[in-house]
Amino acid sequence: MLNQNGLSLDQAPPIFVVFRFFFVGALFGILSGLFVLFFQETIFNAHSTEAIILTHTLTLGVMLSFMFGALFQMLPVIAGIKLTSPDLKANLLLYPFIVGIIALLFAFKLTTVSWLFLLASVLLGGSLLGIIVILLKNLFSLENHTSTSKGTTYTLLSLGIAVLFALYLTGTLAGVTEGSAYSHIKEAHYSFGLYGWIALLIISISFQVIEMFYVTPPFPKLFLNYMPATLFILLLLASLVGIFYPSIWLLADILLALLLGSYAVLTLKRFTQRKRPLTDATVWFWRLGLSSLLLSMLSLLLTLFIDYDPIKALSYIAFSSFGLSIVFAMFYKIVPFLTWFHLNSQGYISPPMMHQIIHPKMMMKHLYIHTATIVTFIFAIFIPQLIFLAGLLTILSFGWAGYQVVNAHLLYRKTQKTGKKFNMGSMY
Amino acid sequence: MPEFKKIYLDAREMEHPEPLEKAMKIIQSLDDNSYLYMLHRKNPLPLIDLAKGHLLKVLTQEDENNQWHILICKNNTIDLSDFLNA
């Protein structure tokens, strides 16, 4: 009666679904570094084509890849959602998504080739809206919601809205729509993308994982129950009212900065209240990410009243640091866990322990590289020559992450080939 | 009733992934006369999933202090509820 095939694994996605997303994210990260080398300090001007290309490589190629990989892994655990055919769904998302991003990046550069915008719209719009609808359908059908599952619902709604706005923008750039509300929709698009998707997803997931992983006190109930909805409604109201009164975004940005800033302070405080304050790289990635969020929100507030380009650039860099630092914190929790879990579920006697899959020293080295990357970018605002070093460090940082995925994959395969299986239930 | 050896694991203040790794080590060492008694601040679903997948007997119960008691044994003839809070 030994279960040689291991677990039914109802709650876990196929390991390669997650690995594939993470590896693609790392590849787009390396591409971001190459863009930094080519575009140099033009990336600090948010309105330049180069900055738009880099922003979409980071937000779509890197963040969305890592975040969807994490979502495929975490949704079954945090919300009890069991996706049918996860491998098929992941592939239907991933491949059009990759081609769509590449088409979009070329479309930004070759603005005269309008069909590229249409191709990108079909591929990105189709794949993203498809998976959003599937995930939302699962979330809406849940009988018992947690603050994390509720937050994830708002997050996916925000992403859906950001995609719909993006379709309007690409439609305008392709000459399909007139684009009379282009500027307003552009503001709503990146607000929903950055705050409604990236920030809110991190916040929603953190409600569960900070307490669970790091043994901290739980978040205040008021915050758990109302923060995601408040953020979402604020973005929605600003987008609607902004059509008639564009200056509403000033008030919305102030409220967003206060909300996200208070989240950063509250979560940083939680890290000082841990019961067993053992420090590993993931804790520092979280601290760096939250401090970056605080810095980004402070600089956002300043930019509303002071027109000084370096502060704007600081705000962008700090927000990127927020997203990427926490993506790496989660990455270093997920990859070893998933490898270990799948091998254990298949009954191997001594699968590698989690710290052997990615050694803590390797994580710490990545933390140093990542921190150096962020600091170099900030200095490069004032010393433009440093942008080359920042680009090289970006390539090294994502190359490091990509190597960890490949290494975990090889270790997994090696254990499957050479490992002996445990005979736990054979006598019954 | 024969004497059953209780292997106790208090994971309430352990950080991820220590509880899971320690519990799996203990599970692999269980014989017919021993069981794991684990205390955890959460219901460790991955561990329960793994144990059930290996056809082990599992009992979980949350107490009034929101602490989870997780009992796992290899011997299917054991009634784990006899050992709850023991």
Side-chain angles (χ1 to χ4, degrees), chain A residues 208-358:
Chain A
Q208 194 145 339
V209 300
I210 297 289
E211 185 193 348
M212 187 168 72
F213 286 169
Y214 304 108
V215 199
T216 67
F219 282 88
K221 282 243 168 0
L222 190 75
F223 213 77
L224 290 174
N225 291 337
Y226 297 109
M227 166 77 175
T230 307
L231 194 71
F232 178 77
I233 291 167
L234 179 63
L235 287 170
L236 202 61
L237 282 177
S239 302
L240 292 173
V241 178
I243 298 170
F244 311 102
Y245 304 103
S247 56
I248 192 73
W249 280 106
L250 179 73
L251 177 65
D253 282 345
I254 293 171
L255 292 174
L256 280 168
L258 291 175
L259 261 179
L260 294 176
S262 61
Y263 162 77
V265 172
L266 198 70
T267 314
L268 277 169
K269 185 159 183 272
R270 251 128 202 86
F271 276 103
T272 66
Q273 297 171 309
R274 295 160 68 213
K275 288 192 178 159
R276 284 176 67 192
L278 305 168
T279 302
D280 66 6
T282 66
V283 173
W284 284 108
F285 272 118
W286 269 101
R287 284 181 174 146
L288 176 63
L290 293 164
S291 307
S292 300
L293 177 62
L294 197 56
L295 179 63
S296 174
M297 292 303 109
L298 286 172
S299 43
L300 172 68
L301 281 177
L302 283 176
T303 58
L304 298 176
F305 305 103
I306 305 167
D307 191 17
Y308 183 51
D309 287 341
I311 299 179
K312 286 181 189 164
L314 180 63
S315 175
Y316 310 143
I317 295 168
F319 194 86
S320 305
S321 170
F322 155 62
L324 291 175
S325 303
I326 291 169
V327 156
F328 288 142
M330 293 303 295
F331 171 82
Y332 282 120
K333 282 287 185 191
I334 290 172
V335 172
F337 169 76
L338 212 54
T339 311
W340 179 89
F341 182 76
H342 276 267
L343 289 172
N344 263 286
S345 72
Q346 290 160 26
Y348 289 98
I349 294 175
S350 25
M353 301 291 270
M354 287 184 227
H355 69 270
Q356 293 168 321
I357 295 163
I358 302 180

Side-chain angles (χ1 to χ4, degrees), chain A residues 1 3 7 211-215 274 276 333 337 340-341 344-345 347 349 354 422 424 427-428, chain B residues 13-18 20-21 24 27-28 32 41-42 46 49-50 53-56 74-75:
Chain A
M1 284 178 69
N3 188 1
L7 285 176
E211 185 193 348
M212 187 168 72
F213 286 169
Y214 304 108
V215 199
R274 295 160 68 213
R276 284 176 67 192
K333 282 287 185 191
F337 169 76
W340 179 89
F341 182 76
N344 263 286
S345 72
I349 294 175
M354 287 184 227
F422 200 71
M424 231 179 305
M427 58 191 296
Y428 298 109
Chain B
E13 294 194 3
M14 289 181 190
E15 289 198 1
H16 172 89
E18 205 181 347
L20 203 50
E21 287 191 325
M24 275 310 289
I27 282 174
Q28 290 182 353
D32 281 354
R41 61 194 179 278
K42 298 274 179 192
D49 211 9
L50 282 171
H54 286 306
L55 305 177
L56 300 176
K74 190 178 177 185
N75 185 343

Side-chain angles (χ1 to χ4, degrees), chain A residues 355-387:
Chain A
H355 69 270
Q356 293 168 321
I357 295 163
I358 302 180
H359 197 277
K361 280 185 182 170
M362 294 295 276
M363 299 183 196
M364 282 308 282
K365 283 178 185 167
H366 192 186
L367 173 75
Y368 300 142
I369 295 166
H370 175 65
T371 310
T373 310
I374 303 302
V375 171
T376 311
F377 266 111
I378 292 172
F379 277 111
I381 299 172
F382 306 100
I383 310 166
Q385 294 82 350
L386 280 177
I387 200 71

Side-chain angles (χ1 to χ4, degrees), chain A residues 20-303:
Chain A
R20 229 175 280 148
F21 275 100
F22 285 174
F23 190 65
V24 167
L27 290 181
F28 273 112
I30 293 170
L31 183 65
S32 304
L34 291 172
F35 282 152
V36 172
L37 292 180
F38 284 111
F39 298 157
Q40 300 166 36
E41 64 270 25
T42 54
I43 59 167
F44 293 133
N45 175 7
H47 302 293
S48 65
T49 304
E50 289 80 4
I52 292 169
I53 290 174
L54 181 64
T55 303
H56 284 84
T57 312
L58 277 172
T59 50
L60 282 173
V62 179
M63 298 277 205
L64 256 171
S65 298
F66 275 106
M67 286 175 156
F68 264 110
L71 264 186
F72 269 94
Q73 198 262 320
M74 296 198 77
L75 272 180
V77 181
I78 60 174
I81 287 176
K82 291 173 188 170
L83 282 178
T84 52
S85 321
D87 210 4
L88 177 70
K89 286 188 175 80
N91 286 341
L92 286 175
L93 165 67
L94 188 62
Y95 297 113
F97 173 71
I98 295 170
V99 182
I101 296 172
I102 294 167
L104 184 69
L105 299 180
F106 273 107
F108 283 134
K109 190 68 189 166
L110 313 167
T111 44
T112 49
V113 190
S114 58
W115 63 265
L116 274 172
F117 277 116
L118 294 178
L119 178 66
S121 303
V122 171
L123 292 171
L124 286 172
S127 59
L128 287 173
L129 290 175
I131 195 70
I132 290 166
V133 168
I134 291 169
L135 294 178
L136 280 176
K137 207 176 139 196
N138 278 278
L139 280 163
F140 283 132
S141 65
L142 283 180
E143 285 178 14
N144 299 311
H145 268 284
T146 62
S147 49
T148 296
S149 64
K150 262 193 270 181
T152 309
T153 307
Y154 287 118
T155 298
L156 286 166
L157 284 171
S158 296
L159 180 63
I161 294 170
V163 173
L164 290 174
F165 286 155
L167 292 178
Y168 175 87
L169 298 173
T170 49
T172 307
L173 291 168
V176 176
T177 52
E178 190 195 338
S180 53
Y182 187 86
S183 298
H184 168 66
I185 295 292
K186 191 177 163 188
E187 177 130 24
H189 161 69
Y190 72 67
S191 294
F192 267 105
L194 298 180
Y195 306 127
W197 163 245
I198 294 174
L200 193 50
L201 181 63
I202 288 171
I203 291 168
S204 305
I205 299 292
S206 77
F207 286 163
Q208 194 145 339
V209 300
I210 297 289
E211 185 193 348
M212 187 168 72
F213 286 169
Y214 304 108
V215 199
T216 67
F219 282 88
K221 282 243 168 0
L222 190 75
F223 213 77
L224 290 174
N225 291 337
Y226 297 109
M227 166 77 175
T230 307
L231 194 71
F232 178 77
I233 291 167
L234 179 63
L235 287 170
L236 202 61
L237 282 177
S239 302
L240 292 173
V241 178
I243 298 170
F244 311 102
Y245 304 103
S247 56
I248 192 73
W249 280 106
L250 179 73
L251 177 65
D253 282 345
I254 293 171
L255 292 174
L256 280 168
L258 291 175
L259 261 179
L260 294 176
S262 61
Y263 162 77
V265 172
L266 198 70
T267 314
L268 277 169
K269 185 159 183 272
R270 251 128 202 86
F271 276 103
T272 66
Q273 297 171 309
R274 295 160 68 213
K275 288 192 178 159
R276 284 176 67 192
L278 305 168
T279 302
D280 66 6
T282 66
V283 173
W284 284 108
F285 272 118
W286 269 101
R287 284 181 174 146
L288 176 63
L290 293 164
S291 307
S292 300
L293 177 62
L294 197 56
L295 179 63
S296 174
M297 292 303 109
L298 286 172
S299 43
L300 172 68
L301 281 177
L302 283 176
T303 58

